[in-house]
Amino acid sequence: MKCSKCGEECNENQAFCLKCGTPIQIIPDLNIIEEELANNVGELMDELREEEKTKELLKTARNIYDYEYGHLQDTVEYDTLENFKPIQLDEELEEKIQIANLEREKKKNLNMNTGYTVDSSAALKRSRSKRLSEEELRERHEKKVFKLKITFAIAAIIVVLIVVSVLIFLPSSDSKSSAFKSYYNKGMKAYNAGDYGAAVQLYEQAYEVADDKYSLKKVLTSLWDAYKKIDGTDNNQMDVIRKLMDIEPDNLDYYEALLSLYEANGMVEDIDKLLKSVAGTDIAAQLTGYSFMGPEFNYESGKYEQFLYITLSNDNGYKMYYTTDGSEPTSSSTEYTESFEINNEGVTVVKAISVNEKGISSTVVKKEFDIQLSVLTAPTVTPDSGTYTTVTKIEVQVPDGCTAYYTLDEDGTAPTASSNKYEGPIDMPVGKNVFSVITVNESGVYSSVTQKIYQLDVDRTYTYNQALDSLKANLIASGYIIDNEGKTADGGIVGFSYVGVQVIEGNEYYLIKTSTGEVFGVGTVTGVIVNITQNNKGIYEIAK
């Protein structure tokens, strides 16, 4: 490589040209300090070139002096070329020398027929003005040499440090391979000798210097074997297996071994986490002893216009747990025992799992149900609200696929699916009453409420007291009691209490209840006496 400035041939390891001092940028990692040193060297070389010029001037001065005063060589003292120094001449001798030289020059010029005359005194003055003193030249030279030595010393130290750093921090692959073999072979020797603790230490040292997958797998497998020989090293084995899985993520043996250790140590959450990490892969499909499907739903995800009753099932009889708020289910979530209802509009996220006898969870099954209820029209009721003087039937038009539920009282109680079920026309009761009714479809959707206010004014033939006397007379005639006080043949007493007025099958009755639990109806208009019963919904009916 040649210097870009002077053309000097340079070595590849040089930082600057040794001739002109120009920096050579061939070292990729030359830092700022080295660049500065190279610049300093360049400055020193410039100064040395100036010194060379000075030497040339001294040499020129010497030549001139020899030319002018060559015949007086014995009067001149010489040291070295650099320290050339003529002796001091007195004025008289100097004048004589000048005259002699002039004469000699004249003769020389005449012989050469040039007609040229040399002004020797002027030449002597020029040489003296350019000449430096010996002391000044030596001092300047020593400073430059010292500065150059310091620069080269610093540069040498930097080079040495770089070489040492490379040797320390970048050991050769051969040395690492050699160290691996040494540690590993010693570990094998300790293992074969039954010293498993020492084998573990040596294998770990080999692991630190292993630099390829083959070596890593080799030493980790041996380390795993050594840990198996030592009690209480399950955690160490798990750590080694996880490192092996990083090298060979599709090795089924590693997953089975790790799951077995998790199971042995009751690490159910770690089992779940590992199984979830491989869900849907070939590995998961092969882990039949640990990975299994979650519960089945009776409804698929989707949009529905009615409330839903969700049923869960599985084929293996495992317990099932679920959540309805989108959170991840665990064995601490709600256990499934029977169908549960989704009875709110909008999206409901249900997640469920099965848990086997080992406490291991299945994959999570997730369903999203978007409930958007359709609107039912309020049912139509006849007759309209108003005042009536004859017993009138109340009728409801029930749409197909729906069921009607009603209340009939003075307060207008709101009906629900637990209220009286409408099964046909209803007798309007005497007095002021509010009839309230709703319909509910098969999806559990409720309609709005229809209300009618009725006032039934009927001229009654019998008052309550008359009705009670008529009832007692009838019971005495039948032998139920023996007098109006309610005495019985066996000496007992039957009491009577008023229940209310009720329209049954189109007729209005006073309802009277005895202390023995029987209920009788006495027609307010006809005076007819009938036995009354209540159905399972508490509605009064005439006993058949």
Side-chain angles (χ1 to χ4, degrees), residues 64 77 110 117 234 314 421 428 493:
I64 292 174
E77 295 180 0
L110 288 173
T117 303
D234 283 2
N314 59 39
K421 181 179 179 181
M428 184 184 298
I493 294 293

Side-chain angles (χ1 to χ4, degrees), residues 243-275:
K243 290 177 181 177
L244 285 168
M245 290 167 67
D246 290 337
I247 299 172
E248 290 185 318
D250 297 327
N251 192 316
L252 179 64
D253 293 338
Y254 298 152
Y255 287 92
E256 290 180 337
L258 187 57
L259 287 169
S260 179
L261 286 170
Y262 283 161
E263 183 179 347
N265 288 273
M267 301 168 66
V268 176
E269 292 184 0
D270 293 274
I271 292 175
D272 286 344
K273 184 177 180 180
L274 181 59
L275 292 175

Side-chain angles (χ1 to χ4, degrees), residues 227-240:
Y227 276 131
K228 290 178 182 178
K229 301 292 185 179
I230 304 174
D231 293 334
T233 60
D234 283 2
N235 288 333
N236 302 92
Q237 291 185 54
M238 294 175 199
D239 183 58
V240 171

Side-chain angles (χ1 to χ4, degrees), residues 464-476:
Y464 172 72
N465 290 332
Q466 290 173 333
L468 179 58
D469 290 341
S470 177
L471 175 62
K472 288 180 180 180
N474 182 270
L475 293 176
I476 291 172

Side-chain angles (χ1 to χ4, degrees), residues 325-537:
D325 59 359
S327 61
E328 293 299 308
T330 67
S331 56
S332 298
S333 301
T334 303
E335 181 177 359
Y336 176 80
T337 56
E338 60 182 0
S339 299
F340 57 93
E341 185 182 12
I342 300 177
N343 55 7
N344 55 282
E345 289 192 82
V347 177
T348 299
V349 178
V350 181
K351 293 183 178 181
I353 57 171
S354 296
V355 178
N356 66 13
E357 65 277 0
K358 298 177 181 179
I360 300 172
S361 301
S362 70
T363 53
V364 177
V365 181
K366 174 184 175 183
K367 301 291 182 182
E368 293 187 5
F369 304 107
D370 186 3
I371 307 298
Q372 299 294 334
L373 300 178
S374 57
V375 178
L376 292 180
T377 304
T380 301
V381 178
T382 57
D384 290 333
S385 299
T387 300
Y388 296 86
T389 58
T390 60
V391 175
T392 306
K393 298 288 186 181
I394 302 172
E395 296 186 42
V396 179
Q397 294 181 9
V398 182
D400 293 340
C402 294
T403 303
Y405 299 91
Y406 72 93
T407 60
L408 184 58
D409 54 35
E410 295 179 356
D411 300 321
T413 304
T416 67
S418 299
S419 300
N420 298 319
K421 181 179 179 181
Y422 178 82
E423 296 179 327
I426 302 168
D427 291 327
M428 184 184 298
V430 175
K432 183 179 180 180
N433 290 278
V434 179
F435 180 79
S436 304
V437 63
I438 60 170
T439 54
V440 180
N441 68 12
E442 295 174 346
S443 300
V445 179
Y446 285 43
S447 72
S448 55
V449 179
T450 298
Q451 284 189 333
K452 299 293 182 179
I453 302 174
Y454 300 118
Q455 178 71 44
L456 178 59
D457 295 328
V458 178
D459 292 332
R460 293 168 181 165
T461 304
Y462 295 89
T463 64
Y464 172 72
N465 290 332
Q466 290 173 333
L468 179 58
D469 290 341
S470 177
L471 175 62
K472 288 180 180 180
N474 182 270
L475 293 176
I476 291 172
S478 65
Y480 188 82
I481 57 176
I482 60 176
D483 59 24
N484 286 334
E485 299 297 325
K487 292 180 182 180
T488 61
D490 58 2
I493 294 293
V494 175
F496 296 88
S497 61
Y498 174 66
V499 175
V501 176
Q502 184 77 38
V503 176
I504 303 174
E505 297 181 2
N507 295 308
E508 186 180 61
Y509 295 92
Y510 291 113
L511 299 184
I512 302 170
K513 187 175 183 180
T514 68
S515 58
T516 58
E518 294 175 297
V519 178
F520 296 95
V522 180
T524 61
V525 176
T526 63
V528 175
I529 299 173
V530 294
N531 286 5
I532 303 297
T533 61
Q534 280 183 296
N535 62 22
N536 56 3
K537 291 188 177 181

Side-chain angles (χ1 to χ4, degrees), residues 4-45:
S4 61
K5 183 174 182 180
C6 67
E8 177 71 7
E9 192 70 25
C10 301
N11 189 287
E12 292 183 355
N13 296 325
Q14 291 179 219
F16 54 85
C17 177
L18 296 178
K19 181 177 180 181
C20 67
T22 300
I24 301 174
Q25 299 294 332
I26 62 172
I27 302 176
D29 57 347
L30 183 62
N31 59 27
I32 297 175
I33 296 177
E34 292 172 323
E35 291 180 3
E36 183 65 23
L37 291 175
N39 292 333
N40 290 339
V41 170
E43 293 177 2
L44 289 174
M45 293 302 292

